[in-house]
Amino acid sequence: MSEERYRIVIRCPECKEKYILRGRLNEDGQYETGFKRCVCGNEERLNIEASPET
């Protein structure tokens, strides 16, 4: 697992909610943040942007 941390921005296209989290890349190439779903219940259609933390 990578030790580099990322700034993850998750946007929900359904309700327009925005979440800014920190996370790491796991072995499967996915970001681990602990985020499960949006407050509107959306779990699948999320826009995710990641950039390395400085």
Side-chain angles (χ1 to χ4, degrees):
M1 194 153 103
S2 175
E3 292 302 316
E4 185 175 11
R5 288 172 41 148
Y6 292 86
R7 178 180 183 258
I8 314 292
V9 178
I10 301 173
R11 289 186 176 90
C12 177
E14 294 181 17
C15 71
K16 310 299 185 218
E17 190 69 38
K18 176 178 160 182
Y19 304 91
I20 301 173
L21 307 165
R22 289 186 190 147
R24 299 186 195 285
L25 216 76
N26 67 15
E27 296 145 358
D28 299 328
Q30 298 176 343
Y31 296 103
E32 285 290 326
T33 62
F35 184 85
K36 300 296 181 193
R37 68 173 165 239
C38 181
V39 294
C40 71
N42 180 15
E43 295 179 2
E44 297 178 13
R45 289 190 51 225
L46 298 166
N47 299 326
I48 301 172
E49 299 172 20
S51 59
E53 266 192 345
T54 54

